[in-house]
Amino acid sequence: MHIMEGYLPIEHCVAWTVAAAPFVAAGARSISRRMEENPRVKLLLGVTAAFTFTLSALKLPSVTGSSSHPTGIGLGAVIFGPGAMTVIGLIVLLFQALLLAHGGISTLGANTFSMAIVGPWVSYGIYRLARRAGLSLGPALFFAAALGDLATYVTTSVQLALAFPDPARGVVGAMLKFMGIFAITQVPLAASEGFLTVLVMNQLIAYSRPELRDLGIVTKTETGGIAE
Amino acid sequence: MRLIDRVAHHNRWRRRHPIEKLVLALGMLILDLVLPPYPAGPIIAAIMLAAAIGGAGVPAVAYLRLLLAPVGFVLAGAAAVMVGVAGEPGLGWHFVLLPSGRIIALKLVLRALTAIASLNFLILTTPVENLLPLFRRWRVPGAVVDLIMVTYRFLFVFSDTLEAMRTAQDIRLGYSGWRRTYRSLAMLTAAFLGRVLDRARRLEMGLAARGYRGDLPVLVDEGRPSWPVMGGILALQLATAFLSLHLSR
Protein backbone atom coordinates (compact mmCIF):
# COMPACT_ATOMS: atom_id res chain seq x y z
CA MET A 1 0.00 0.00 0.00
CA HIS A 2 2.49 2.58 -1.12
CA ILE A 3 1.47 6.23 -1.17
CA MET A 4 2.69 7.64 -4.46
CA GLU A 5 5.22 10.40 -4.88
CA GLY A 6 3.62 13.83 -4.62
CA TYR A 7 0.39 12.55 -3.02
CA LEU A 8 0.81 14.04 0.42
CA PRO A 9 1.01 17.74 1.24
CA ILE A 10 4.42 18.77 2.46
CA GLU A 11 3.33 19.25 6.11
CA HIS A 12 2.14 15.64 6.17
CA CYS A 13 5.37 14.42 4.61
CA VAL A 14 7.35 16.18 7.33
CA ALA A 15 5.05 15.07 10.14
CA TRP A 16 5.17 11.38 9.16
CA THR A 17 8.92 11.54 8.74
CA VAL A 18 9.26 12.99 12.24
CA ALA A 19 6.92 10.30 13.59
CA ALA A 20 8.96 7.55 11.92
CA ALA A 21 12.36 8.92 12.94
CA PRO A 22 12.61 7.57 16.53
CA PHE A 23 11.67 4.05 15.39
CA VAL A 24 14.22 4.16 12.60
CA ALA A 25 16.88 5.48 14.98
CA ALA A 26 16.11 2.73 17.51
CA GLY A 27 16.19 0.11 14.74
CA ALA A 28 19.49 1.46 13.42
CA ARG A 29 20.99 1.34 16.90
CA SER A 30 19.83 -2.21 17.41
CA ILE A 31 21.31 -3.43 14.12
CA SER A 32 24.54 -1.49 14.71
CA ARG A 33 24.90 -3.29 18.02
CA ARG A 34 24.24 -6.64 16.42
CA MET A 35 26.73 -5.86 13.66
CA GLU A 36 29.42 -5.06 16.19
CA GLU A 37 28.79 -8.31 18.01
CA ASN A 38 28.93 -10.25 14.78
CA PRO A 39 30.18 -8.75 11.49
CA ARG A 40 28.26 -11.41 9.52
CA VAL A 41 25.00 -9.73 10.43
CA LYS A 42 25.74 -6.88 8.04
CA LEU A 43 25.83 -9.19 5.05
CA LEU A 44 22.89 -11.20 6.30
CA LEU A 45 20.66 -8.14 6.73
CA GLY A 46 21.87 -6.73 3.41
CA VAL A 47 20.89 -9.84 1.51
CA THR A 48 17.60 -9.90 3.41
CA ALA A 49 16.77 -6.38 2.23
CA ALA A 50 17.69 -7.30 -1.35
CA PHE A 51 15.62 -10.46 -0.96
CA THR A 52 12.57 -8.49 0.23
CA PHE A 53 12.94 -6.04 -2.64
CA THR A 54 13.25 -8.81 -5.22
CA LEU A 55 10.27 -10.66 -3.78
CA SER A 56 8.13 -7.58 -4.23
CA ALA A 57 8.38 -8.25 -7.95
CA LEU A 58 6.35 -11.45 -7.51
CA LYS A 59 2.67 -11.13 -8.22
CA LEU A 60 0.22 -12.76 -5.89
CA PRO A 61 -3.18 -13.61 -7.39
CA SER A 62 -6.17 -12.29 -5.49
CA VAL A 63 -9.92 -12.91 -5.60
CA THR A 64 -10.98 -9.65 -7.19
CA GLY A 65 -8.71 -10.08 -10.16
CA SER A 66 -6.26 -7.56 -8.84
CA SER A 67 -2.88 -8.72 -7.77
CA SER A 68 -0.29 -7.45 -5.41
CA HIS A 69 3.03 -8.64 -4.12
CA PRO A 70 3.88 -10.46 -0.91
CA THR A 71 5.51 -8.05 1.52
CA GLY A 72 7.41 -10.57 3.59
CA ILE A 73 7.08 -8.14 6.49
CA GLY A 74 5.42 -10.68 8.76
CA LEU A 75 7.99 -13.36 8.04
CA GLY A 76 10.84 -10.90 8.45
CA ALA A 77 9.51 -9.48 11.72
CA VAL A 78 9.26 -12.96 13.22
CA ILE A 79 12.69 -14.07 11.99
CA PHE A 80 14.73 -10.87 12.40
CA GLY A 81 12.71 -8.88 14.93
CA PRO A 82 10.67 -5.71 14.34
CA GLY A 83 13.52 -3.24 14.97
CA ALA A 84 15.73 -4.72 12.26
CA MET A 85 12.72 -5.00 9.94
CA THR A 86 12.12 -1.24 10.29
CA VAL A 87 15.55 -0.46 8.87
CA ILE A 88 15.29 -3.17 6.22
CA GLY A 89 11.82 -1.91 5.30
CA LEU A 90 13.09 1.65 4.97
CA ILE A 91 15.89 0.56 2.64
CA VAL A 92 13.50 -1.51 0.55
CA LEU A 93 11.09 1.43 0.31
CA LEU A 94 13.95 3.72 -0.69
CA PHE A 95 14.94 1.46 -3.56
CA GLN A 96 11.33 0.89 -4.59
CA ALA A 97 10.86 4.65 -4.78
CA LEU A 98 14.10 5.22 -6.67
CA LEU A 99 14.16 2.26 -9.02
CA LEU A 100 10.51 1.28 -9.48
CA ALA A 101 8.65 4.58 -8.91
CA HIS A 102 6.68 2.59 -6.34
CA GLY A 103 6.06 4.94 -3.43
CA GLY A 104 8.17 8.08 -3.33
CA ILE A 105 10.88 10.11 -1.66
CA SER A 106 8.48 12.75 -0.35
CA THR A 107 6.17 10.04 0.98
CA LEU A 108 9.01 7.89 2.30
CA GLY A 109 8.29 8.90 5.91
CA ALA A 110 4.61 8.04 5.67
CA ASN A 111 5.25 4.75 3.88
CA THR A 112 7.96 3.82 6.37
CA PHE A 113 5.54 4.47 9.19
CA SER A 114 2.80 2.25 7.79
CA MET A 115 4.88 -0.51 6.22
CA ALA A 116 8.15 -0.66 8.12
CA ILE A 117 6.95 0.31 11.61
CA VAL A 118 3.26 -0.52 12.12
CA GLY A 119 3.42 -3.70 10.00
CA PRO A 120 6.43 -5.36 11.66
CA TRP A 121 5.49 -4.37 15.21
CA VAL A 122 1.91 -5.60 14.84
CA SER A 123 3.10 -8.84 13.23
CA TYR A 124 5.68 -9.38 15.90
CA GLY A 125 3.27 -8.52 18.72
CA ILE A 126 0.59 -10.86 17.37
CA TYR A 127 3.12 -13.63 16.90
CA ARG A 128 4.34 -13.36 20.48
CA LEU A 129 0.81 -13.13 21.87
CA ALA A 130 -0.36 -16.08 19.81
CA ARG A 131 2.58 -18.21 20.87
CA ARG A 132 2.08 -17.29 24.50
CA ALA A 133 -1.58 -18.19 24.16
CA GLY A 134 -0.44 -21.64 23.14
CA LEU A 135 -1.11 -21.48 19.40
CA SER A 136 1.21 -23.61 17.30
CA LEU A 137 3.65 -22.12 14.81
CA GLY A 138 1.38 -22.30 11.73
CA PRO A 139 -1.66 -20.38 13.01
CA ALA A 140 0.55 -17.93 14.91
CA LEU A 141 2.44 -17.11 11.71
CA PHE A 142 -0.77 -16.85 9.72
CA PHE A 143 -2.31 -14.33 12.09
CA ALA A 144 0.95 -12.42 12.49
CA ALA A 145 1.41 -11.94 8.74
CA ALA A 146 -2.26 -11.35 7.89
CA LEU A 147 -2.97 -8.91 10.73
CA GLY A 148 0.32 -7.09 10.11
CA ASP A 149 -0.81 -6.57 6.52
CA LEU A 150 -4.22 -5.34 7.62
CA ALA A 151 -2.71 -2.96 10.16
CA THR A 152 -0.54 -1.52 7.41
CA TYR A 153 -3.50 -0.92 5.17
CA VAL A 154 -5.55 0.67 7.95
CA THR A 155 -2.60 2.99 8.66
CA THR A 156 -2.36 3.96 5.00
CA SER A 157 -6.11 4.70 4.99
CA VAL A 158 -5.67 6.97 7.99
CA GLN A 159 -2.75 8.74 6.34
CA LEU A 160 -4.72 9.35 3.15
CA ALA A 161 -7.83 10.40 5.09
CA LEU A 162 -5.85 13.01 7.03
CA ALA A 163 -4.52 14.39 3.75
CA PHE A 164 -7.84 14.23 1.89
CA PRO A 165 -10.72 14.58 4.37
CA ASP A 166 -14.23 14.10 3.03
CA PRO A 167 -15.84 17.56 2.62
CA ALA A 168 -19.09 16.40 4.24
CA ARG A 169 -17.94 13.76 6.73
CA GLY A 170 -14.43 14.89 7.57
CA VAL A 171 -11.49 12.66 8.32
CA VAL A 172 -13.53 9.75 9.69
CA GLY A 173 -15.73 9.62 6.61
CA ALA A 174 -12.70 9.73 4.35
CA MET A 175 -11.01 7.01 6.38
CA LEU A 176 -14.02 4.70 6.02
CA LYS A 177 -14.06 5.47 2.31
CA PHE A 178 -10.38 4.62 1.78
CA MET A 179 -10.70 1.53 3.92
CA GLY A 180 -13.74 0.47 1.93
CA ILE A 181 -11.90 0.88 -1.35
CA PHE A 182 -8.77 -0.90 -0.16
CA ALA A 183 -10.68 -3.65 1.62
CA ILE A 184 -11.71 -5.05 -1.77
CA THR A 185 -8.12 -5.92 -2.57
CA GLN A 186 -6.39 -5.88 0.78
CA VAL A 187 -8.50 -8.28 2.83
CA PRO A 188 -7.99 -11.20 0.44
CA LEU A 189 -4.36 -10.17 0.07
CA ALA A 190 -3.79 -10.19 3.80
CA ALA A 191 -5.19 -13.71 3.91
CA SER A 192 -2.94 -14.77 1.01
CA GLU A 193 0.06 -13.24 2.69
CA GLY A 194 -0.69 -15.12 5.90
CA PHE A 195 -1.21 -18.33 3.99
CA LEU A 196 1.97 -17.89 1.97
CA THR A 197 4.00 -17.08 5.08
CA VAL A 198 2.94 -20.38 6.65
CA LEU A 199 3.77 -22.29 3.46
CA VAL A 200 7.18 -20.63 3.23
CA MET A 201 7.94 -21.48 6.83
CA ASN A 202 6.92 -25.10 6.24
CA GLN A 203 9.30 -25.23 3.29
CA LEU A 204 12.05 -23.64 5.34
CA ILE A 205 11.58 -26.12 8.16
CA ALA A 206 11.57 -28.98 5.69
CA TYR A 207 14.61 -27.97 3.66
CA SER A 208 16.58 -25.26 5.41
CA ARG A 209 16.95 -26.20 9.06
CA PRO A 210 20.62 -25.20 9.21
CA GLU A 211 19.80 -21.75 7.87
CA LEU A 212 17.05 -21.35 10.42
CA ARG A 213 19.45 -22.33 13.15
CA ASP A 214 21.85 -19.73 11.74
CA LEU A 215 19.16 -17.11 11.96
CA GLY A 216 18.48 -18.25 15.49
CA ILE A 217 22.09 -17.43 16.31
CA VAL A 218 21.62 -14.01 14.86
CA THR A 219 18.50 -13.17 16.81
CA LYS A 220 18.81 -15.01 20.05
CA THR A 221 15.36 -14.11 21.33
CA GLU A 222 13.54 -15.71 18.43
CA THR A 223 15.15 -19.12 18.71
CA GLY A 224 12.29 -20.47 20.78
CA GLY A 225 9.75 -19.63 18.13
CA ILE A 226 11.54 -21.22 15.25
CA ALA A 227 13.34 -24.26 16.57
CA GLU A 228 10.28 -26.49 16.62
CA MET B 1 15.62 -1.23 -13.28
CA ARG B 2 18.44 -2.36 -15.53
CA LEU B 3 17.59 0.48 -17.86
CA ILE B 4 18.01 2.94 -14.99
CA ASP B 5 21.38 1.49 -14.08
CA ARG B 6 22.63 1.59 -17.65
CA VAL B 7 21.53 5.16 -18.30
CA ALA B 8 22.82 6.36 -14.91
CA HIS B 9 26.29 5.12 -15.79
CA HIS B 10 26.30 6.37 -19.38
CA ASN B 11 25.19 9.95 -19.52
CA ARG B 12 26.95 13.25 -19.93
CA TRP B 13 26.38 14.36 -16.35
CA ARG B 14 27.54 11.13 -14.75
CA ARG B 15 30.75 12.82 -13.55
CA ARG B 16 29.05 15.92 -12.19
CA HIS B 17 29.08 16.09 -8.41
CA PRO B 18 26.06 14.21 -7.02
CA ILE B 19 25.14 17.06 -4.70
CA GLU B 20 24.45 19.31 -7.70
CA LYS B 21 22.02 16.82 -9.17
CA LEU B 22 20.50 16.06 -5.78
CA VAL B 23 19.86 19.73 -5.01
CA LEU B 24 18.30 20.25 -8.44
CA ALA B 25 16.01 17.21 -8.18
CA LEU B 26 14.99 17.45 -4.52
CA GLY B 27 14.64 21.23 -4.67
CA MET B 28 12.24 20.88 -7.58
CA LEU B 29 10.41 18.10 -5.73
CA ILE B 30 9.87 20.43 -2.77
CA LEU B 31 8.79 23.28 -5.04
CA ASP B 32 6.33 20.90 -6.69
CA LEU B 33 4.82 20.13 -3.28
CA VAL B 34 4.52 23.72 -2.05
CA LEU B 35 3.66 25.67 -5.21
CA PRO B 36 0.21 25.57 -6.83
CA PRO B 37 0.27 22.51 -9.15
CA TYR B 38 -0.75 24.66 -12.07
CA PRO B 39 1.32 26.32 -13.51
CA ALA B 40 4.26 25.11 -11.37
CA GLY B 41 3.83 21.46 -12.42
CA PRO B 42 4.28 21.91 -16.18
CA ILE B 43 7.12 24.42 -15.66
CA ILE B 44 9.07 22.10 -13.37
CA ALA B 45 8.39 19.06 -15.54
CA ALA B 46 9.63 20.96 -18.61
CA ILE B 47 12.84 22.01 -16.81
CA MET B 48 13.53 18.49 -15.61
CA LEU B 49 12.81 17.05 -19.04
CA ALA B 50 15.16 19.57 -20.64
CA ALA B 51 17.85 18.93 -18.02
CA ALA B 52 17.66 15.15 -18.38
CA ILE B 53 17.29 14.85 -22.15
CA GLY B 54 18.96 18.03 -23.36
CA GLY B 55 21.55 18.44 -20.63
CA ALA B 56 22.55 14.98 -19.49
CA GLY B 57 21.73 13.29 -22.78
CA VAL B 58 19.39 10.72 -21.27
CA PRO B 59 17.60 8.94 -24.15
CA ALA B 60 14.12 10.44 -24.44
CA VAL B 61 12.56 6.98 -24.75
CA ALA B 62 14.09 5.87 -21.46
CA TYR B 63 12.97 9.00 -19.65
CA LEU B 64 9.41 8.85 -20.94
CA ARG B 65 9.10 5.13 -20.34
CA LEU B 66 10.03 5.59 -16.70
CA LEU B 67 7.73 8.56 -16.35
CA LEU B 68 4.75 6.68 -17.76
CA ALA B 69 5.34 3.38 -15.95
CA PRO B 70 3.58 4.44 -12.72
CA VAL B 71 0.72 6.27 -14.45
CA GLY B 72 -1.69 3.44 -13.63
CA PHE B 73 -0.99 3.80 -9.91
CA VAL B 74 -1.26 7.57 -10.12
CA LEU B 75 -4.67 7.40 -11.80
CA ALA B 76 -5.98 4.75 -9.41
CA GLY B 77 -4.95 6.88 -6.46
CA ALA B 78 -6.57 9.96 -7.97
CA ALA B 79 -9.81 8.03 -8.52
CA ALA B 80 -9.93 7.12 -4.83
CA VAL B 81 -9.62 10.79 -3.87
CA MET B 82 -12.29 11.87 -6.36
CA VAL B 83 -15.13 9.94 -4.76
CA GLY B 84 -16.79 10.27 -1.37
CA VAL B 85 -19.33 8.23 0.55
CA ALA B 86 -23.00 9.08 0.88
CA GLY B 87 -25.93 7.58 2.74
CA GLU B 88 -26.22 6.20 6.27
CA PRO B 89 -23.58 3.76 7.47
CA GLY B 90 -24.88 0.26 6.91
CA LEU B 91 -27.98 1.34 5.00
CA GLY B 92 -27.36 2.02 1.35
CA TRP B 93 -23.83 3.23 1.63
CA HIS B 94 -22.54 4.23 -1.78
CA PHE B 95 -19.79 6.15 -3.46
CA VAL B 96 -20.51 9.51 -5.05
CA LEU B 97 -18.40 11.79 -7.17
CA LEU B 98 -17.38 14.74 -4.99
CA PRO B 99 -18.18 18.17 -6.45
CA SER B 100 -14.60 19.35 -5.91
CA GLY B 101 -13.19 15.89 -6.57
CA ARG B 102 -12.32 16.32 -10.20
CA ILE B 103 -10.16 19.38 -9.54
CA ILE B 104 -8.43 17.83 -6.55
CA ALA B 105 -7.72 14.67 -8.56
CA LEU B 106 -6.41 16.65 -11.51
CA LYS B 107 -4.08 18.66 -9.29
CA LEU B 108 -2.93 15.48 -7.64
CA VAL B 109 -2.09 13.77 -10.93
CA LEU B 110 -0.19 16.84 -12.09
CA ARG B 111 1.71 17.05 -8.81
CA ALA B 112 2.57 13.35 -8.76
CA LEU B 113 3.77 13.24 -12.36
CA THR B 114 5.93 16.33 -11.82
CA ALA B 115 7.42 14.79 -8.67
CA ILE B 116 8.20 11.60 -10.58
CA ALA B 117 9.75 13.64 -13.40
CA SER B 118 12.07 15.34 -10.88
CA LEU B 119 13.08 12.12 -9.22
CA ASN B 120 13.64 10.37 -12.56
CA PHE B 121 16.15 13.04 -13.46
CA LEU B 122 18.16 12.22 -10.35
CA ILE B 123 18.05 8.47 -10.72
CA LEU B 124 18.81 8.52 -14.45
CA THR B 125 21.87 10.76 -14.10
CA THR B 126 23.31 9.54 -10.81
CA PRO B 127 24.31 5.95 -10.01
CA VAL B 128 23.09 4.99 -6.54
CA GLU B 129 26.59 4.29 -5.26
CA ASN B 130 27.52 7.94 -5.87
CA LEU B 131 24.86 9.02 -3.38
CA LEU B 132 26.20 6.86 -0.56
CA PRO B 133 29.17 9.11 0.36
CA LEU B 134 26.64 11.92 0.78
CA PHE B 135 24.61 9.85 3.23
CA ARG B 136 27.79 9.16 5.15
CA ARG B 137 28.60 12.84 5.32
CA TRP B 138 25.10 13.59 6.61
CA ARG B 139 25.80 11.33 9.59
CA VAL B 140 23.48 8.54 8.54
CA PRO B 141 24.76 5.71 10.78
CA GLY B 142 27.53 3.77 9.05
CA ALA B 143 25.68 0.53 9.65
CA VAL B 144 22.72 1.76 7.63
CA VAL B 145 24.86 3.11 4.77
CA ASP B 146 26.75 -0.19 4.56
CA LEU B 147 23.44 -2.00 4.55
CA ILE B 148 22.19 0.16 1.68
CA MET B 149 25.38 -0.61 -0.24
CA VAL B 150 25.19 -4.36 0.30
CA THR B 151 21.51 -4.30 -0.65
CA TYR B 152 22.14 -2.40 -3.84
CA ARG B 153 24.93 -4.74 -4.92
CA PHE B 154 22.65 -7.71 -4.59
CA LEU B 155 19.50 -6.35 -6.20
CA PHE B 156 20.50 -7.18 -9.73
CA VAL B 157 22.02 -10.58 -9.00
CA PHE B 158 18.96 -11.60 -7.05
CA SER B 159 16.44 -10.53 -9.64
CA ASP B 160 18.30 -12.66 -12.20
CA THR B 161 18.22 -15.63 -9.85
CA LEU B 162 14.57 -15.20 -9.01
CA GLU B 163 13.62 -14.77 -12.65
CA ALA B 164 15.45 -17.97 -13.59
CA MET B 165 13.82 -19.92 -10.76
CA ARG B 166 10.39 -18.62 -11.64
CA THR B 167 10.82 -19.44 -15.31
CA ALA B 168 11.92 -22.95 -14.41
CA GLN B 169 8.75 -23.41 -12.38
CA ASP B 170 6.58 -21.81 -15.02
CA ILE B 171 7.71 -24.02 -17.90
CA ARG B 172 6.95 -27.03 -15.69
CA LEU B 173 3.37 -25.70 -15.33
CA GLY B 174 4.01 -24.53 -11.80
CA TYR B 175 1.67 -21.59 -12.25
CA SER B 176 -1.32 -23.32 -13.82
CA GLY B 177 -4.16 -22.79 -11.40
CA TRP B 178 -4.50 -21.31 -7.94
CA ARG B 179 -3.36 -24.16 -5.76
CA ARG B 180 -0.21 -24.70 -7.75
CA THR B 181 0.51 -21.00 -7.92
CA TYR B 182 0.53 -20.72 -4.14
CA ARG B 183 2.51 -23.90 -3.73
CA SER B 184 5.03 -22.74 -6.32
CA LEU B 185 5.33 -19.30 -4.80
CA ALA B 186 5.96 -20.78 -1.37
CA MET B 187 8.58 -23.15 -2.74
CA LEU B 188 10.13 -20.32 -4.71
CA THR B 189 10.31 -18.00 -1.72
CA ALA B 190 11.76 -20.63 0.59
CA ALA B 191 14.28 -21.92 -1.96
CA PHE B 192 15.22 -18.38 -2.82
CA LEU B 193 15.73 -17.48 0.84
CA GLY B 194 17.96 -20.52 1.17
CA ARG B 195 20.05 -19.38 -1.78
CA VAL B 196 20.23 -15.85 -0.51
CA LEU B 197 21.48 -16.96 2.89
CA ASP B 198 23.99 -19.23 1.23
CA ARG B 199 25.18 -16.31 -0.84
CA ALA B 200 25.61 -14.19 2.30
CA ARG B 201 27.63 -16.99 3.90
CA ARG B 202 29.90 -17.31 0.87
CA LEU B 203 30.41 -13.57 0.68
CA GLU B 204 31.25 -13.52 4.37
CA MET B 205 33.83 -16.30 3.89
CA GLY B 206 35.38 -14.46 0.96
CA LEU B 207 35.57 -11.26 2.93
CA ALA B 208 36.86 -12.98 6.05
CA ALA B 209 39.70 -14.42 3.98
CA ARG B 210 40.58 -10.84 3.07
CA GLY B 211 40.57 -9.59 6.63
CA TYR B 212 36.95 -8.47 7.01
CA ARG B 213 36.26 -7.01 10.46
CA GLY B 214 32.97 -5.30 9.79
CA ASP B 215 34.04 -2.37 7.63
CA LEU B 216 33.41 -2.22 3.92
CA PRO B 217 35.62 0.62 2.67
CA VAL B 218 35.19 1.57 -0.96
CA LEU B 219 37.13 4.04 -3.02
CA VAL B 220 34.95 6.87 -4.22
CA ASP B 221 35.91 9.38 -6.81
CA GLU B 222 34.97 12.47 -4.82
CA GLY B 223 35.19 15.74 -6.64
CA ARG B 224 33.93 19.06 -5.40
CA PRO B 225 30.64 20.63 -6.36
CA SER B 226 31.03 23.61 -8.64
CA TRP B 227 29.76 26.75 -6.90
CA PRO B 228 28.70 28.54 -10.10
CA VAL B 229 26.60 25.49 -11.00
CA MET B 230 25.06 25.36 -7.52
CA GLY B 231 24.29 29.07 -7.74
CA GLY B 232 22.73 28.55 -11.15
CA ILE B 233 20.54 25.75 -9.81
CA LEU B 234 19.31 27.85 -6.90
CA ALA B 235 18.67 30.79 -9.22
CA LEU B 236 16.69 28.51 -11.53
CA GLN B 237 14.62 27.29 -8.59
CA LEU B 238 13.96 30.80 -7.34
CA ALA B 239 12.93 31.82 -10.85
CA THR B 240 10.60 28.82 -11.06
CA ALA B 241 8.95 29.69 -7.76
CA PHE B 242 8.60 33.33 -8.71
CA LEU B 243 7.23 32.63 -12.18
CA SER B 244 4.69 30.09 -10.91
CA LEU B 245 3.42 32.37 -8.18
CA HIS B 246 3.24 35.24 -10.61
CA LEU B 247 1.32 33.24 -13.24
CA SER B 248 -1.09 31.73 -10.74
CA ARG B 249 -2.22 35.13 -9.51
Side-chain angles (χ1 to χ4, degrees):
Chain A
M1 295 303 327
H2 298 63
I3 301 180
M4 289 290 297
E5 186 78 273
Y7 261 59
L8 291 183
I10 192 143
E11 310 88 60
H12 291 246
C13 300
V14 174
W16 287 113
T17 307
V18 170
F23 291 93
V24 173
R29 242 199 318 275
S30 117
I31 63 165
S32 300
R33 218 178 18 245
R34 282 204 234 167
M35 281 179 186
E36 270 160 36
E37 277 171 23
N38 180 357
R40 296 188 50 183
V41 176
K42 187 176 286 175
L43 307 172
L44 192 61
L45 291 178
V47 295
T48 307
F51 170 78
T52 312
F53 177 91
T54 318
L55 267 197
S56 68
L58 288 181
K59 294 277 173 276
L60 202 64
S62 156
V63 198
T64 43
S66 75
S67 69
S68 184
H69 60 76
T71 63
I73 290 288
L75 189 64
V78 170
I79 295 181
F80 296 106
M85 243 1 233
T86 298
V87 179
I88 291 179
L90 172 64
I91 293 175
V92 171
L93 287 169
L94 179 72
F95 280 121
Q96 284 180 331
L98 287 177
L99 301 177
L100 305 176
H102 206 44
I105 295 299
S106 62
T107 52
L108 192 60
N111 286 332
T112 301
F113 195 85
S114 68
M115 269 170 284
I117 294 170
V118 173
W121 279 101
V122 169
S123 287
Y124 185 72
I126 300 272
Y127 176 76
R128 299 251 87 169
L129 275 179
R131 296 293 284 173
R132 195 161 306 161
L135 246 63
S136 62
L137 186 65
L141 271 175
F142 176 85
F143 286 117
L147 294 177
D149 247 28
L150 283 181
T152 295
Y153 118 79
V154 170
T155 311
T156 308
S157 302
V158 172
Q159 289 172 331
L160 284 173
L162 287 171
F164 303 100
D166 192 298
R169 287 159 196 266
V171 173
V172 178
M175 200 183 102
L176 292 173
K177 172 190 78 171
F178 285 117
M179 281 172 63
I181 294 173
F182 293 153
I184 303 166
T185 56
Q186 289 304 308
V187 172
L189 269 176
S192 343
E193 170 107 27
F195 193 49
L196 192 65
T197 303
V198 176
L199 288 177
V200 170
M201 191 54 100
N202 287 344
Q203 293 278 341
L204 283 177
I205 290 171
Y207 298 111
S208 309
R209 263 180 199 276
E211 279 84 358
L212 284 182
R213 221 165 292 137
D214 262 11
L215 292 173
I217 294 164
V218 170
T219 56
K220 293 184 188 86
T221 42
E222 273 91 60
T223 335
I226 288 161
E228 273 210 331
Chain B
M1 208 164 93
R2 242 159 266 272
L3 178 73
I4 293 175
D5 212 43
R6 196 167 56 233
V7 175
H9 279 98
H10 299 280
N11 69 82
R12 257 178 263 148
W13 287 359
R14 148 113 175 71
R15 301 248 162 239
R16 293 226 66 95
H17 197 272
I19 196 106
E20 295 168 3
K21 294 175 275 189
L22 194 73
V23 167
L24 178 59
L26 292 190
M28 288 300 190
L29 179 64
I30 293 170
L31 285 182
D32 173 46
L33 290 178
V34 296
L35 291 171
Y38 187 84
I43 295 176
I44 295 173
I47 293 174
M48 297 321 281
L49 207 77
I53 298 171
V58 169
V61 180
Y63 189 89
L64 292 178
R65 229 175 81 190
L66 276 183
L67 184 61
L68 296 180
V71 159
F73 290 118
V74 172
L75 292 181
V81 171
M82 228 159 82
V83 296
V85 281
E88 287 306 305
L91 322 151
W93 243 43
H94 57 280
F95 291 123
V96 288
L97 194 67
L98 293 175
S100 57
R102 219 163 304 178
I103 304 210
I104 295 177
L106 213 61
K107 281 183 178 170
L108 207 55
V109 170
L110 203 55
R111 192 161 260 174
L113 287 179
T114 308
I116 294 167
S118 310
L119 211 58
N120 280 352
F121 162 80
L122 178 67
I123 200 65
L124 283 172
T125 55
T126 321
V128 171
E129 61 264 30
N130 289 12
L131 294 172
L132 295 180
L134 295 182
F135 291 169
R136 233 177 268 272
R137 196 164 326 146
W138 295 333
R139 305 260 187 98
V140 175
V144 177
V145 179
D146 281 349
L147 207 52
I148 295 177
M149 187 172 76
V150 174
T151 307
Y152 185 68
R153 306 227 154 185
F154 276 116
L155 288 185
F156 297 93
V157 182
F158 284 0
S159 27
D160 278 349
T161 310
L162 190 71
E163 196 47 47
M165 290 168 87
R166 207 195 137 93
T167 308
Q169 286 184 318
D170 202 13
I171 55 179
R172 289 167 179 81
L173 301 180
Y175 292 93
S176 55
W178 273 62
R179 262 184 89 87
R180 259 186 226 135
T181 298
Y182 271 90
R183 220 177 102 77
S184 297
L185 277 177
M187 279 166 68
L188 180 63
T189 312
F192 185 42
L193 184 59
R195 288 229 179 170
V196 161
L197 297 177
D198 183 51
R199 187 104 200 178
R201 193 179 312 122
R202 278 171 18 219
L203 180 70
E204 193 265 331
M205 274 162 66
L207 283 171
R210 291 162 180 80
Y212 173 63
R213 285 230 182 72
D215 295 320
L216 296 168
V218 275
L219 193 62
V220 278
D221 166 19
E222 244 184 316
R224 282 179 177 281
S226 136
W227 292 112
V229 171
M230 292 292 280
I233 291 168
L234 291 179
L236 182 67
Q237 285 167 347
L238 273 176
T240 307
F242 190 74
L243 185 67
S244 322
L245 289 174
H246 184 73
L247 285 179
S248 69
R249 217 177 307 146

